[in-house]
Amino acid sequence: MRHCLTRAVLAAALIAGPANAAPATTAAGGGGWQPQQTPGFYRLRLGDFRVTVLSDGVASRDVSSIMSNPATVRRAFADAHQALPVELSINCYLIDTGSQRVLVDTGAGELFGDTAGSLVANLRAAGYAPEDIDVVLLTHIHGDHSGGLSVGGKRVFPRALVYVDRRDPAYWLDVQHETQAPSTRRLSFQQSRQTVNPYVAAGMLRTFDGDTEIIPGIHSVTEYGHTPGMNGYMVESKGQRLYLWGDIIHAAEVQFRHPEVTIDYDVDAAAASATRATRLSDAAKQGYLVGGAHLSFPGLGHVQALDQGYQWMPLPYSAKP
Ligand SMILES: [Zn+2]
């Protein structure tokens, strides 16, 4: 009896042995911890509209080397217990109005390496397909906002009309401007043509001129400076407002407290700084919800005025949108 029991236990141990080796099982099964965050989307309601924030991933940047006041930048990041380079979120926003599906910005597509370009995967994970998008609203033409429009020269959103302030294509798609621009900006011109021109060729690019109602409940707000034609989009339904700004803030740790700090990507740094001051002041005074492309995902919250500068008040997480 004892002999039999021992043999049975031994047999069970032999069978169970490999299965109990947890790391091997996890790897073979594909479950458990993995070195990536996905899917990345976050849902909220805005009146009758359904909003889905979509992560395109991140861009890692040592912002102290590309911003106007390196000492202020380094101190702000140290105070926030954050190391440089920092991973800047790249957020896109899908607004389902019930009759139209409107995507604000498209992420970086294939332009920024493997830490970005996740928009389409996250769109699908959230229950939508690229073919579902009726309208794309670009805050501005820049690799991490318009880059996801096309991959391999093909339109990612085949049915979508793409809207942008006329000043941005007039600048970024014009070879004349490229030859006059600093050499550090050449790549942006090339990437702009590569990703926006397929929509021009298909007759799917629409331009507007400054503050405009694009579709019922969504109007553009000029934010000129960072690029010649940057705009934010005010989304409103049943009296609830969500303002989706473009590149008003790249580094939250610095630029809410110090709105005068600019970044090398600004085409006109003085105008960009003045626009930031205006938009922050308006957001603090009016108290609407803000969504920011480079604020830590999902980049939703409110702006509060301080004696000097502003602070960011992230929206609390909600499990049931
Ligand atoms: Zn930009």
Side-chain angles (χ1 to χ4, degrees):
M1 182 67 188
R2 190 180 168 194
H3 180 71
C4 285
L5 185 65
T6 305
R7 284 181 66 178
V9 169
L10 253 175
L14 281 170
I15 292 163
N20 282 346
T25 302
T26 299
W33 195 93
Q34 296 192 24
Q36 59 185 11
Q37 313 282 4
T38 197
F41 60 86
Y42 184 79
R43 297 175 171 131
L44 75 153
R45 283 176 194 271
L46 188 83
D48 288 337
F49 293 175
R50 293 181 174 131
V51 179
T52 308
V53 188
L54 299 158
S55 172
D56 187 59
V58 300
S60 184
R61 294 286 183 272
D62 179 357
V63 287
S64 71
S65 69
I66 51 174
M67 296 189 97
S68 62
N69 191 331
T72 300
V73 174
R74 279 195 291 271
R75 193 166 54 245
F77 274 86
D79 288 349
H81 307 280
Q82 287 196 49
L84 291 168
V86 61
E87 290 183 298
L88 300 177
S89 288
I90 304 173
N91 305 323
C92 308
Y93 296 83
L94 174 65
I95 301 126
D96 192 335
T97 68
S99 58
Q100 293 192 83
R101 282 143 183 187
V102 180
L103 180 64
V104 177
D105 284 345
T106 64
E110 59 188 347
L111 303 179
F112 273 42
D114 66 0
T115 64
S118 299
L119 170 66
V120 170
N122 287 327
L123 182 71
R124 290 189 190 281
Y128 296 93
E131 296 76 21
D132 296 336
I133 305 300
D134 299 294
V135 172
V136 172
L137 306 178
L138 296 177
T139 59
H140 62 300
I141 295 179
H142 253 173
D144 50 337
H145 297 261
S146 51
L149 279 174
S150 304
V151 168
K154 286 215 166 98
R155 286 177 293 137
V156 170
F157 307 101
R159 291 181 48 253
L161 284 173
V162 177
Y163 287 81
V164 65
D165 188 297
R166 66 177 179 79
R167 289 159 185 79
D168 256 23
Y171 182 73
W172 293 110
L173 303 183
D174 184 347
V175 179
Q176 194 70 30
H177 283 293
E178 180 180 350
T179 56
Q180 293 160 4
S183 60
T184 50
R185 217 171 282 158
R186 293 279 158 79
L187 184 63
S188 284
F189 280 94
Q190 290 156 19
Q191 291 178 337
S192 300
R193 288 197 297 271
Q194 178 189 333
T195 53
V196 179
N197 272 346
Y199 291 80
V200 177
M204 299 300 264
L205 190 77
R206 298 285 183 274
T207 58
F208 59 85
D209 186 4
D211 297 6
T212 304
E213 183 175 63
I214 311 290
I215 66 165
I218 305 182
H219 73 264
S220 62
V221 178
T222 60
E223 296 179 340
Y224 301 155
H226 173 65
T227 65
M230 187 165 83
N231 275 253
Y233 294 98
M234 184 63 83
V235 185
E236 184 164 0
S237 177
K238 293 263 174 80
Q240 293 186 31
R241 290 191 292 171
L242 166 64
Y243 183 60
L244 302 173
W245 67 35
D247 282 357
I248 292 295
I249 300 283
H250 282 90
E253 292 76 3
V254 182
Q255 290 173 300
F256 282 107
R257 295 291 177 110
H258 304 280
E260 74 283 2
V261 174
T262 57
I263 194 160
D264 287 358
Y265 309 138
D266 295 334
V267 172
D268 180 339
S273 178
T275 294
R276 181 164 33 259
T278 303
R279 297 321 318 160
L280 289 175
S281 168
D282 192 69
K285 272 190 200 125
Q286 298 209 43
Y288 44 71
L289 184 63
V290 168
H294 301 308
L295 300 170
S296 190
F297 178 81
L300 297 168
H302 292 88
V303 178
Q304 189 174 66
L306 302 175
D307 289 343
Q308 284 197 319
Y310 300 86
Q311 70 178 340
W312 178 238
M313 311 289 285
L315 195 69
Y317 176 84
S318 174
K320 294 273 185 187

